Amino acid sequence: MTTTVPALGTQTAEGSALQAVLLDMDGTLVDTEGFWWDVEVEVFAGLGHVLDDSWRHVVVGGPMTRSAGFLIEATGADITLAEITVLLNDGFEDRIGRTLPLMPGAARLLAELAAHGIPTALVSASHRRIIDRVLTSLGPQYFALTVAGDEVERTKPHPDPYLLAAAGLDADPARCAVIEDTATGVAAAEAAGCHVVAVPSVAPIAPALRRTIVTSLEEVDLPFLRGLLTV
């Protein structure tokens, strides 16, 4: 976990039950879920294997160990998890170095949360080296802390990353709003006891208790997030 703006962690939204907003990265703030799949296809093609497009829904939103491990097993590729991890991260860094499109509404939402002093964390299954590269485009000043997938013993779909982020912001998970784009991320946030806004990117996500589905971040603003909780 990396803290970038410690002072924000002591702030709360006065008069609101909302204590913090925790955001996923890939597919939620930056339009990169497709990048990961393209890189996986290219890397495994280099190893002589063709990925079945149906596997995309299996690996989306998950930690590198799970997604890469699944693809190695499914293809029978003669490569270790450590070796494939390096190739995938290298390929992804190359792609985001060329272009890094933000999701519609992402920049506006981050600016709004910062303007109102809402403690905010970036919580991703991506590795620290990837998060730090993406932050240069997103703006590190918008996040009081960031949690990477290779910094927790159990990453998504386990609740650990969101529990760690809430604790780092001195917030009650039950008074945190999480924004996620995959079922894996939603499962992690809900297991942590947070209220979830799902913005599905690759696969649909069904509505549920304490879960709100929207089609775009353009539908999400501070009043919307505060409305998820009651004082």
Side-chain angles (χ1 to χ4, degrees):
M1 180 175 70
T2 296
T3 302
T4 54
V5 191
L8 285 181
T10 63
Q11 299 177 19
T12 58
E14 185 176 352
S16 170
L18 179 67
Q19 289 184 337
V21 177
L22 317 176
L23 302 107
D24 173 54
M25 187 177 76
D26 293 298
T28 299
L29 293 176
V30 289
D31 192 5
T32 50
E33 290 291 12
F35 285 13
W36 279 115
W37 179 248
D38 290 344
V39 170
E40 287 160 349
V41 168
E42 289 176 3
V43 167
F44 277 89
L47 299 172
H49 298 278
V50 177
L51 300 189
D52 190 310
D53 195 60
S54 66
W55 295 341
R56 181 175 183 180
H57 297 300
V58 178
V59 302
V60 66
M64 181 77 72
T65 52
R66 190 194 75 183
S67 58
F70 168 83
L71 293 174
I72 290 173
E73 183 176 351
T75 60
D78 184 19
I79 192 169
T80 67
L81 184 59
E83 291 169 337
I84 199 72
T85 295
V86 172
L87 293 177
L88 292 174
N89 277 327
D90 285 348
F92 187 79
E93 275 199 86
D94 177 66
R95 282 188 175 257
I96 63 176
R98 286 179 268 151
T99 179
L100 184 58
L102 270 60
M103 298 299 286
R108 186 266 314 152
L109 178 59
L110 291 176
E112 181 181 6
L113 294 174
H116 288 83
I118 305 298
T120 305
L122 185 68
V123 184
S124 176
S126 289
H127 289 188
R128 169 56 55 191
R129 59 180 283 195
I130 299 299
I131 288 181
D132 287 346
R133 284 291 302 275
V134 172
L135 278 173
T136 62
S137 294
L138 273 178
Q141 71 274 15
Y142 291 123
F143 303 99
L145 61 85
T146 59
V147 178
D150 57 341
E151 295 174 340
V152 290
E153 184 174 345
R154 301 189 310 167
T155 187
K156 304 173 186 179
H158 298 287
D160 306 35
Y162 282 112
L163 291 174
L164 181 63
L169 295 176
D170 195 25
D172 178 354
R175 295 179 64 181
C176 292
V178 169
I179 305 180
E180 273 279 1
D181 73 303
T182 67
T184 298
V186 167
E190 290 181 341
C194 305
H195 293 262
V196 179
V197 178
V199 193
S201 60
V202 175
I205 298 173
L209 185 66
R210 296 169 67 89
R211 180 192 307 172
T212 303
I213 313 297
V214 299
T215 59
S216 168
L217 286 181
E218 293 182 321
E219 300 175 41
V220 181
D221 57 15
L222 183 52
F224 176 93
L225 294 173
R226 283 177 168 161
L228 300 177
L229 292 81
T230 55
V231 178

